[in-house]
Amino acid sequence: MPSVNDALSAARATIDKVELCVAATSGDHGVANVRVVQKLSFDDTWCVAFATDRTSRKTAEIERTGKLTLLFEDDAEGAYAALIGTASVSSDLETKQKYWTGDLDRWFPQGASSENAAIVELKPERIELWNYAKGIAPEPLGLRAAVLERDGDDWRRLA
């Protein structure tokens, strides 16, 4: 079974490679709502940020539950990494300016000062992944995900 560091390395490689990912939130009546979002930032603490409309359903669901899942997929490696954890939404100008890129101007022509622009920040507590190319997944390979859970500043393997 690959080490925690091998699993983290494989997950980071997948996330680094992917610009667009799938965001899943918990909707009404326990239904999952999914949509594509553009990753703006992915840092050494595993936090991911993306922009959204302050008035969107995704914003309301994140604010209601405080939870978010982001799914990153890499077909070439036969890999995925899902980051699951707590999320927050900020429409504070300083936060928006920290992450703002010119690409966002097409949705928010007023730039970071747009009233409806917001930044979502995800702090993962759990990572689920597999990567066929790197042999990352419990046996039988690929039928279950490798699972890591945050333990303070470190990660531990659950499966």
Side-chain angles (χ1 to χ4, degrees):
M1 183 179 296
S3 71
V4 169
N5 286 338
D6 289 340
L8 288 171
S9 178
R12 183 166 290 282
T14 298
I15 296 165
D16 281 342
K17 189 183 282 188
V18 177
E19 181 181 356
L20 300 176
C21 60
V22 176
T25 55
S26 180
D28 294 334
H29 312 294
V31 173
N33 290 316
V34 297
R35 70 284 281 164
V36 173
V37 297
Q38 179 182 3
K39 173 186 73 180
L40 297 175
S41 174
F42 175 50
D43 68 22
D44 291 340
T45 67
W46 292 84
C47 291
V48 178
F50 63 88
T52 193
D53 188 303
R54 180 91 183 126
T55 64
S56 70
R57 181 183 66 197
K58 119 178 47 74
T59 298
E61 291 169 352
I62 291 168
E63 288 179 330
R64 180 176 50 80
T65 66
K67 299 293 183 184
L68 177 66
T69 297
L70 293 178
L71 175 69
F72 301 83
E73 180 187 6
D74 177 8
D75 287 339
E77 293 260 324
Y80 86 92
L83 302 182
I84 303 148
T86 57
S88 60
V89 180
S90 175
S91 40
D92 157 298
L93 183 59
E94 184 177 325
T95 301
K96 291 189 290 188
Q97 287 174 331
K98 175 181 174 181
Y99 295 111
W100 204 262
T101 68
D103 289 349
L104 297 174
D105 291 343
R106 67 179 152 177
W107 291 288
F108 304 102
Q110 297 163 333
S113 62
S114 174
E115 186 176 303
N116 284 344
I119 299 294
V120 174
E121 294 174 300
L122 168 68
K123 180 177 182 180
E125 299 160 351
R126 182 179 176 102
I127 300 171
E128 296 183 8
L129 71 142
W130 46 254
N131 183 310
Y132 286 128
K134 294 181 171 79
I136 306 290
E139 294 296 333
L141 186 60
L143 292 181
R144 292 180 297 135
V147 180
L148 305 173
E149 189 170 81
R150 192 181 288 272
D151 186 10
D153 290 334
D154 296 318
W155 292 91
R156 63 187 172 97
R157 187 161 186 158
L158 299 180

